[in-house]
Amino acid sequence: TSLTGTAGKAAGAAAATWLIAPWLYGFCCAGGRSLGSLASQTEVVRISTGEAPGFWRAG
């Protein structure tokens, strides 16, 4: 393998992680209570109903 190919694969993996990790983290915090919202004592709600976002909206 070449050094350029390895760097390209590493950059591609980093870009994929940068895009996918926050989306997966949203599913772990389906009730809208992420670490950031817990630290700042804020709550995420839907404007139309005032309820926490559902599981599929969290991602």
Side-chain angles (χ1 to χ4, degrees):
T1 62
S2 69
L3 186 59
T4 305
T6 304
K9 288 179 184 177
T17 301
W18 181 63
L19 293 172
I20 294 172
W23 184 69
L24 291 175
Y25 176 68
F27 283 120
C28 295
C29 306
R33 302 299 290 177
S34 67
L35 292 175
S37 67
L38 289 172
S40 62
Q41 298 181 352
T42 59
E43 191 167 340
V44 176
V45 296
R46 294 180 66 173
I47 293 174
S48 60
T49 62
E51 298 175 352
F55 177 74
W56 292 110
R57 298 255 181 198

